[in-house]
Amino acid sequence: MSPTPYRVIISGGGTGGHIFPAVAIANELRRRQPEAEILFVGANGRMEMTRVPEAGYEIIGLDISGLQRRLTPQNLLFPVRVFRSVRKAGKLLESFRPDAVVGVGGYASAPVLIAATSRGIPALIQEQNSYAGLVNKLLSRRVDRICVAYEGMEKFFPATKLVLTGNPVRTEIAGGSRIEALQFFGLSPEKKTLLVVGGSLGARTLNQATAAALSRLREAGVQLIWQTGKLYYPEAQQQAADYAEAGLKVLEFVKRMDLAYAAADVVISRAGALSVSELCLTGKPSILVPSPNVAEDHQTKNALALVERQAALLVTDAEAPAKLYDQALALLADPARQQQLSQNVRLLAHPDATTAIVDELLALMDRA
């Protein structure tokens, strides 16, 4: 035990797939070390700057963004922004004096980890995906520990630093009651329920395919919980207005995901790391539609890690307009296939992931 409270910086963000694991790590550290001082570092203008304070933690923003896929003025300024962010991160480290730094991925993670490892501060990376991000690969030789969610990650990282922990997921996500869930969403226990979730920012392809299938769902007697994301929500509300009596529910953001999963017989989802980990923990049969707009197509690789184990179905983004709801309705009508997928996906769950990551973090700080 440290004679003084631990001081930890957690850096990264950009999407819920980075932010929610970061907050889970902070919550577990705070649970075990109530006096610990925890500071988040994010990227100005990104969603962590609002989500982290909502979770009860202080956050400081860096003026950092990613490289664009085409030549832009922002790309020309990228090296300058990295340099300035590393310098600001260094000043922050010198004033806060952390015992360790955790990087969860996202724009702000790299400057903080570079500054920390340059000063000999213990550093840990939490890699959520089955295909490692470029920043984490570049930093892997500088950090002390790399917590991963999939086997076989030694092809990206030094094997001696790897710990297979799984992704931090709120364990209560799998604790919802189906009866309570159906009442919460105003749905019938006599009908099948489909959950469509496109991640914290929504997914255009899923939204468009779902809008086109509303009449089919009503005719099939299938209920729907449809999470659209902020941008598509007004349009989706209009599109679903005529179907409310059929149990087709449109939500901008689902705050009670435990109840959404509990209500669902089948889930249609993007294949972000957090979504995949939640599906494993809840044991839900799913159809994964990987986003094509992510670095190194890592969502397809996340999805294939399940598909190859007969733990999920896959429809590509390009195929989704024509095939997604054929597959969804077929799976809803096939209880045996649902059961097979559910049993297999549960085998891939890591319910103690957050505990294992904090174990590694505490061990790093104790050794230092």
Side-chain angles (χ1 to χ4, degrees), residues 267-281:
V267 179
I268 292 174
S269 176
R270 285 301 200 194
L274 182 64
S275 297
V276 168
S277 295
E278 289 181 349
L279 290 168
C280 293
L281 194 63

Side-chain angles (χ1 to χ4, degrees), residues 3 21 45 71 86 88 100 110 116 121 161 165 176 178 193 217 225 241 243 259 282 289 294 296 314 320 327 344:
L71 184 62
V86 171
K88 181 176 179 179
I121 299 170
K161 298 182 180 183
T165 58
R178 180 173 174 82
T193 302
L217 294 174
I225 303 171
Y243 302 95
L259 297 181
T282 57
V289 187
V294 294
E296 295 159 317
L314 186 151
Q327 293 256 19
N344 290 342

Side-chain angles (χ1 to χ4, degrees), residues 301-343:
K301 298 174 178 69
N302 290 348
L304 288 173
L306 270 62
V307 172
E308 290 166 358
R309 292 168 174 79
Q310 297 292 304
L313 304 181
L314 186 151
V315 173
T316 69
D317 193 80
E319 294 172 335
K323 296 184 179 180
L324 178 57
Y325 276 87
D326 290 340
Q327 293 256 19
L329 290 169
L331 182 56
L332 282 163
D334 190 345
R337 184 70 166 133
Q338 291 176 42
Q339 184 177 12
Q340 178 195 38
L341 294 173
S342 180
Q343 289 174 343

Side-chain angles (χ1 to χ4, degrees), residues 1 6 8 24-33 100 102 122-126 144-147 161 163-166 168 351-368:
M1 292 290 294
Y6 288 119
V8 176
I25 292 169
N27 288 345
E28 175 64 11
L29 178 60
R30 180 65 54 79
R31 184 187 70 81
R32 291 160 67 172
Q33 302 285 338
V102 178
L124 178 150
I125 286 174
Q126 199 267 314
D144 301 281
R145 187 70 76 247
I146 306 165
C147 296
K161 298 182 180 183
V163 183
L164 178 63
T165 58
D352 299 320
T354 313
T355 300
I357 291 166
V358 173
D359 285 344
E360 295 296 327
L361 177 61
L362 292 173
L364 277 182
M365 292 191 288
D366 285 341
R367 281 199 295 272

